Structures are given as C-alpha cells and as structure tokens.
C-alpha cells in the first residue's frame, strides 16, 4: 500500500486529480492511500496566515516556519529516529526528478509532500523538518501542487496491480535508459501514411526486434544524452 500525505494551502486543487483516471482507480482499489491536508489547520492566528514579508526586504512573501513545522511534525513526527514518513518539499532548488528517482521515492514511502507557494518556504523549515527537496524541472511554477501531482501520478503507476498491463511498464521510456519507439493503431492508412508492415505481420519476434530497433533510433535522434549515461552505467 502506497501512503502519501499532501500539505497545501489549496487542498481543492487535488479533488478531481484524486477522483479521476488511474490515481482514482488505484485509490478505489485500495492499493494507494492519499490524504490532503490544509496547512491553515496548523495556524494559530485569527487570519490563519501562512506567509509573511521576507527579512532583508524584496518582492513577495515567504511561508512562515511555525505552521509548516507544526504540520510536518504532526504528520511525520520530528526529524530523526521517531520520524514515521519521508518529508519531501517540492522546490525548484531541489534535485531534478527522473524515473530512477521516482522509483527510489516509492521505496521510501510513506511520504509527506509539502507544497510551497509565494517566494518559497522559510529556510528553517528545510533545515529542521524536510528530508529531501525535489524539483520537477528547470522552470518555476506558482506552487508545489502540480509538482506533487507529478510525483503522485508517476509513483502510482509503478505500484504493482495499478496498470492494466504491467508488461507495458517494462518497455516504457526511461525504464531501460531508452525512449519508447512509435505506436500505431487503426486505420492502416491515414493521411497518406501507412502502418509499418512488420506490425501487421503477426510475427511477434520480428515485431519485438523492430520495436527494440526503433527505440534505439528514437533515443539516438532525440535524446543522445540518455545513451551516453546508459553506456557509462553499462561500463560500471
Ligand atoms: C513561485 S515558486 C518559488 C520560486 C522561488 N522563489 C525560486 O525562484 O526558486 C513557489 C513554490 O512553487 C513550487 N515550485 C515551483 N516550481 C517548481 C519546480 N520546478 N519544481 C518543484 N516545485 C516547484 C515550490 O513549492 C515553490 O516553493
């Protein structure tokens, strides 16, 4: 059972995401459990404020440490031996997410995903309460909610029993350091283009060989960097 807690000031953003599609199915099947918590529950002032002006001046607001550390402590326990879940802050300054890191996170569940907003969180939250910072790419979004959804969707499809056809995971892009090759479905002719003959031949071995060769070709043309890191891995 994959167990994830999400900490956010916009819990409503997760409503449809957790209900629909593969994540919704996985939750209904009982193989994944996801709880979304409103950070404002851990505020103590009348305005339920979670942000304040930055020390040193400058634009924007910063997420205050008090509510965040209280929330994290209550969901994951204090940092150290008593911690019951791995606490991940979504942050552009974190390590960039890729398929191996996604699989690694799955092994470290239960997780608490902390969604930042504004200019980010007070550094003392990271120092005192966060185990790991993860970025979903080299660009800046307005909040950690969409990055948290990226993590959740990526992990959920790796949970055994979630995908209808588990075999499809093995040949997916990035699983063997390659991109997956092209797909075709009916009709056999479309827009003047035909489906490659081998795919209609019924010769499964030939189809497998063609797919392997296409995967290599796609990767060579589009992401040669993947082949370089693969050859380093194969050497070591
Ligand atoms: C507007 S961003 C803060 C950007 C920050 N001032 C900076 O320049 O690095 C607000 C929040 O969105 C989330 N966020 C934005 N871009 C992200 C990314 N690429 N990966 C993960 N989280 C991101 C983080 O939780 C961040 O605290």
């Amino acid at each position: 059972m994959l167990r994830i807690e999400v900490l956010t000031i916009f819990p409503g953003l997760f409503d449809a995401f957790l209900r629909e599609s593969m994540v919704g199915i996985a939750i209904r099947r009982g193989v994944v459990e996801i709880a979304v918590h409103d950070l404002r529950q851990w505020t103590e002032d009348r305005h339920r404020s979670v942000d304040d002006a930055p020390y040193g001046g400058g634009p924007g607001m910063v997420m205050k440490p008090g509510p965040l550390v209280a929330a994290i402590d209550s969901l994951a326990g204090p940092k150290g031996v008593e911690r019951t879940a791995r606490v991940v802050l979504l942050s552009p300054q974190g390590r960039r997410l890729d398929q191996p890191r996604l699989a690694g996170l799955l092994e470290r569940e239960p997780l608490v995903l902390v969604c930042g907003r504004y200019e980010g969180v007070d550094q003392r939250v990271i120092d005192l309460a966060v185990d790991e910072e993860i970025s979903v790419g080299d660009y800046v979004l307005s909040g950690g909610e969409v990055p948290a959804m990226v993590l959740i969707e990526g992990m959920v499809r790796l949970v055994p029993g979630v995908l209808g056809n588990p075999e499809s995971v093995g040949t997916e892009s990035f699983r063997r350091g390659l991109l997956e090759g092209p797909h075709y479905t009916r009709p056999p002719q479309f827009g003047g283009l035909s489906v490659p003959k081998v795919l209609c031949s019924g010769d499964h071995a030939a189809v497998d060989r063609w797919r392997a060769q296409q995967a290599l070709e796609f990767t060579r043309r589009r992401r040669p960097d993947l082949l370089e890191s693969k050859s380093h891995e194969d050497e070591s």
Side-chain angles (χ1 to χ4, degrees):
M1 154 87 75
L2 168 61
R3 166 104 201 143
I4 300 175
E5 318 269 348
V6 180
L7 195 52
T8 169
I9 58 169
F10 292 117
L13 284 176
F14 289 85
D15 290 350
F17 175 70
L18 297 181
R19 210 176 41 236
E20 306 284 342
S21 189
M22 198 162 284
V23 174
I25 293 171
I27 291 171
R28 285 190 289 281
R29 276 194 200 149
V31 289
V32 175
E33 202 171 274
I34 300 175
V36 181
H37 305 273
D38 186 345
L39 175 65
R40 291 187 201 278
Q41 283 179 69
W42 283 275
T43 55
E44 288 180 342
D45 63 316
R46 198 154 61 88
H47 301 291
R48 306 180 83 204
S49 58
V50 291
D51 60 312
D52 208 336
Y55 272 115
M61 300 295 271
V62 175
M63 292 185 88
K64 300 190 323 175
L68 272 170
V69 171
I72 294 170
D73 281 357
S74 101
L75 295 174
K79 208 170 176 176
V81 283
E82 286 169 53
R83 186 140 269 193
T84 54
R86 187 161 183 83
V87 177
V88 176
L89 172 69
L90 285 311
S91 162
Q93 292 114 6
R95 295 208 306 172
R96 209 169 339 142
L97 187 65
D98 57 17
Q99 193 68 38
R101 199 152 286 151
L102 208 51
L105 272 177
L106 189 62
E107 283 168 17
R108 297 179 146 172
E109 61 92 30
L111 301 175
V112 174
L113 304 182
V114 182
C115 306
R117 279 271 156 181
Y118 312 107
E119 290 303 317
V121 310
D122 185 304
Q123 181 62 35
R124 291 164 295 181
V125 176
I126 299 165
D127 298 341
L128 291 170
V130 168
D131 297 311
E132 181 172 1
E133 292 175 77
I134 290 191
S135 162
V136 292
D138 293 348
Y139 43 82
V140 176
L141 301 170
S142 298
E145 288 75 10
V146 171
M149 291 181 205
V150 169
L151 245 72
I152 292 170
E153 185 156 306
M155 278 189 287
V156 164
R157 64 199 316 286
L158 298 179
V159 174
V162 168
L163 283 190
N165 181 359
E167 272 174 36
S168 67
V169 176
T171 58
E172 274 183 341
S173 295
F174 310 112
R175 296 285 289 188
R176 297 160 303 148
L178 296 173
L179 299 178
E180 195 173 54
H183 300 285
Y184 293 90
T185 184
R186 281 179 286 191
Q189 299 280 338
F190 185 80
L193 301 176
S194 313
V195 173
K197 277 207 184 74
V198 63
L199 296 180
C200 310
S201 68
D203 180 342
H204 298 299
V207 169
D208 286 348
R209 278 196 302 277
W210 182 85
R211 286 190 171 141
Q213 177 245 318
Q214 290 292 311
L216 201 57
E217 196 47 43
F218 256 37
T219 314
R220 207 172 270 146
R221 263 190 281 131
R222 298 173 182 208
R223 291 291 306 275
D225 57 302
L226 291 177
L227 289 174
E228 276 161 34
S229 37
K230 188 171 157 56
S231 70
H232 290 314
E233 270 167 33
D234 292 347
E235 278 163 25
S236 60

